[in-house]
Amino acid sequence: MPPQDESLCRTEPQEVEESTAAFEGLGRAITLLPRQGTDLAVWCVAPSPVAGTGRVLEWDPAAARFTQGQSLPGPPPWPDAPAPR
């Protein structure tokens, strides 16, 4: 899957730190895997200047790669995290 930092989220490329807890260091985009089919939903997150926007990545079997598809209406399909007390 191609990185979405520059092309979708308008941020510099960033290495993903897999050993980091929670959402710290996970990059500028979150990818939702499909329950059916092969198309992915990618959403930009903070500190991206376009956080909350998303795009479908469509699998092109002939080219064996993902291509950018339609824009997704915001906000992302998950609730905001509760504020710490």
Side-chain angles (χ1 to χ4, degrees):
M1 187 177 90
Q4 299 300 306
D5 295 306
E6 294 173 297
S7 62
L8 177 62
C9 298
R10 301 181 194 154
T11 57
E12 294 294 320
Q14 179 184 8
E15 290 291 323
V16 174
E17 179 60 50
E18 294 182 18
S19 64
T20 305
F23 287 100
E24 297 175 19
L26 289 179
R28 306 297 193 253
I30 292 177
T31 303
L32 301 179
L33 302 177
R35 291 180 185 245
Q36 296 179 7
T38 57
D39 296 345
L40 308 174
V42 178
W43 294 90
C44 297
V45 295
S48 168
V50 291
T53 61
R55 181 164 301 277
V56 173
L57 291 183
E58 299 171 340
W59 179 249
D60 181 353
R65 66 183 174 97
F66 285 101
T67 58
Q68 287 193 1
Q70 67 184 17
S71 294
L72 294 169
W78 61 80
D80 291 336
R85 294 180 181 210

